[in-house]
Amino acid sequence: MTTRFFWIVYGLLFMAAGCRGETVEQVERARTFEAGRAAYAYAGSVVIEPVAVAWPKLRNLRRSNFKGTMVYLHGCDGINALSLQAADIFASAGYLVLMPDSFARLDKPVSCRPAAFQGSLHRDVLAWRQGEAEEAVRRAKTLDAVDPARIVLYGLSEGAIAVATYTGEAVRARIVEGWTCHAGWDEYRGLHASASEAVLTITSENDPWFQQAPLRGDCGQFLGNLTSLRRSVVFRPPHPAASSHDVLWNLDARRIVADFLSAAFSSNHE
């Protein structure tokens, strides 16, 4: 897209938003949801398709079709093989997975260079990702198939930062994969989950993305009293995932996540 063409399209978007009484950011958030993916089990197999395609079908399903609903926030390089693998894993386990696509925005600056393990290239992306999460949670709650008391936010990497710091519509649980909760920027630091939310954070001691001093550590100190519903898991050597950024490929990590979800959705934790 040329610069001139971009600004023409963006200008038209701005005018259209104004006519509907919406901000450009509201329109962009809606775009990330509608261009995202939905994953769910149907007729014995997992379906992964654009949300816009899945939505009419999902409206006809009942709450009993799903164990719960997961809003999954991808990493800084968008919906990729890791994202789709995670969607398949959780849909196969009985969850409805909704995955906003942050790269559907008309204005999407580069926020990382994965090959160099370099992030923090677009500071404002955090607020954008938080807004995308809230848009997805809000939309999910409009479906009869979704129990609003059984929604979990799951984030990987940049998506995990947004999940950790999210302060939007209420969810039952959060899972933070590939983030330490430590940062040089105040708004990126810590965990903002309410006392009624179950939280699992899962990372690796030698994650190559977090070797600089301000980023090292884990989320445990932000969780308070650790329980089965407030867990910080760190894979350390000689564990095979001790140097990984994403860990869901590892069977131990999958078991930990599955056990946490089971505990979160079977508990009356308030």
Side-chain angles (χ1 to χ4, degrees):
M1 182 184 293
T2 66
T3 301
R4 183 170 181 272
F5 181 70
F6 166 79
W7 284 112
I8 290 172
V9 172
Y10 202 70
L12 291 172
L13 177 64
F14 183 85
M15 288 188 290
C19 290
R20 294 194 299 269
E22 300 174 312
T23 65
V24 169
E25 176 57 18
Q26 287 172 320
V27 173
E28 290 279 68
R29 288 181 186 179
R31 185 188 303 277
T32 67
F33 181 74
E34 291 158 10
R37 304 291 188 276
Y40 56 100
Y42 185 77
S45 61
V46 170
V47 177
I48 302 179
E49 59 190 1
V51 167
V53 174
W55 208 247
K57 305 173 191 176
L58 294 174
R59 287 196 178 280
N60 293 322
L61 298 181
R62 292 179 292 183
R63 195 168 291 185
S64 58
N65 286 97
F66 303 112
K67 289 183 180 179
T69 300
M70 175 178 290
V71 172
Y72 182 98
L73 301 189
H74 61 68
C76 64
D77 56 345
I79 295 176
N80 57 17
L82 287 175
S83 311
L84 297 176
Q85 179 188 50
D88 183 77
I89 289 169
F90 294 117
S92 296
Y95 296 92
L96 167 61
V97 182
L98 299 172
M99 187 180 300
D101 181 1
S102 192
F103 280 71
R105 288 173 174 269
L106 290 183
D107 177 23
K108 182 64 176 76
V110 172
S111 59
C112 70
R113 295 190 180 93
F117 306 118
Q118 182 181 10
S120 304
L121 301 183
H122 177 218
R123 184 170 181 172
D124 291 342
V125 74
L126 178 59
W128 288 10
R129 301 303 304 278
Q130 292 165 341
E132 293 160 14
E134 183 164 27
E135 177 77 10
V137 171
R138 183 182 63 80
R139 296 278 197 108
K141 290 179 178 181
T142 68
L143 288 175
D144 290 340
V146 171
D147 182 345
R150 299 176 71 85
I151 297 176
V152 57
L153 271 180
Y154 192 118
L156 169 65
S157 193
E158 181 183 277
I161 306 173
V163 168
T165 56
Y166 172 84
T167 57
E169 292 218 9
V171 296
R172 177 66 191 91
R174 307 182 191 209
I175 300 176
V176 175
E177 179 191 355
W179 175 233
T180 65
C181 297
H182 292 265
W185 291 331
D186 288 344
E187 70 270 28
Y188 279 61
R189 189 180 303 121
L191 274 167
H192 300 327
S194 69
S196 65
E197 294 175 42
V199 181
L200 169 65
T201 68
I202 185 165
T203 189
S204 302
E205 184 175 87
N206 296 327
D207 186 328
W209 284 83
F210 306 130
Q211 293 307 299
Q212 296 181 16
L215 304 174
R216 289 190 64 83
D218 62 78
C219 299
Q221 73 183 76
F222 302 103
L223 281 169
N225 294 327
L226 299 180
T227 69
S228 62
L229 298 177
R230 310 280 283 197
R231 294 193 65 189
S232 172
V233 175
V234 182
F235 289 122
R236 306 183 191 279
H239 194 279
S243 297
S244 295
H245 184 51
D246 61 284
V247 298
L248 205 55
W249 58 268
N250 180 265
L251 293 180
D252 290 335
R254 292 189 190 184
R255 176 185 50 79
I256 289 166
V257 171
D259 289 349
F260 169 79
L261 287 171
S262 178
F265 288 138
S266 63
S267 170
N268 293 319
H269 181 61
E270 299 292 343

